[in-house]
Amino acid sequence: DLRVQRQIGRIDGKIIEMPLKTKNAYRTLPLSADAIDVLVQQRRKTGNSEWVFPSPTGGPMSPDSVLHMLHRVLKRAGLPKVRFHDLRHTFATLALQNGVDIKTVSGMLGHFSAGFTLDTYAHVTTSAKREAAKTMGNILSGAV
């Protein structure tokens, strides 16, 4: 599991560790076996740093550096530039489209309520409802 319990930010040009924005942002997320393997391999490369992805000086990476690295990886893969928030949105959309319930997605995103998540991703749940109606129609018409 991955515990989300702090964030890195910049204040007066200095990279610092900060508390999260809301109490709901503090959460524990399960990780897939593949994700754990990648993190374990990365951890081996960092020696005894407290950071899984340390900066060249050994401290935390700046948010700007992390975004720059993401853009380099995307460019090499022939993919368009996106923000980390876009990746978060994609995760939520794919989870909902593939049957993960709204309460679970809400908790994983650290939202205050499932209602907020539902409002934010209404476009996804609307299409899921259409699919559910089609599926139920097929089931019921076959049962008659």
Side-chain angles (χ1 to χ4, degrees), residues 16-63:
I16 61 162
E17 203 176 304
M18 302 167 24
L20 301 174
K21 289 189 272 188
T22 67
K23 71 178 177 69
N24 294 87
Y26 293 84
R27 59 204 186 275
T28 300
L29 302 170
L31 295 175
S32 69
D34 287 344
I36 291 169
D37 287 345
V38 167
L39 290 172
V40 166
Q41 288 175 34
Q42 176 60 27
R43 192 72 172 129
R44 287 189 189 121
K45 295 177 190 174
T46 63
N48 47 2
S49 169
E50 73 173 296
W51 304 101
V52 177
F53 299 96
S55 71
T57 61
M61 289 181 71
S62 78

Side-chain angles (χ1 to χ4, degrees), residues 3 8 13 18-20 25 28 33 41 73 79 86 95 106 111 118 121 123 125 134 136:
R3 285 189 322 231
I8 300 300
M18 302 167 24
L20 301 174
T28 300
Q41 288 175 34
V73 168
L79 297 169
D86 299 323
S106 182
H111 284 169
L118 193 54
Y121 294 96
H123 64 287
T125 55
K134 246 193 275 183
M136 290 309 296

Side-chain angles (χ1 to χ4, degrees), residues 89-115:
H89 186 73
T90 299
F91 162 79
T93 301
L94 289 172
L96 291 168
Q97 286 174 341
N98 287 282
V100 179
D101 68 279
I102 196 80
K103 184 80 175 146
T104 300
V105 173
S106 182
M108 292 181 84
L109 295 174
H111 284 169
F112 173 71
S113 71

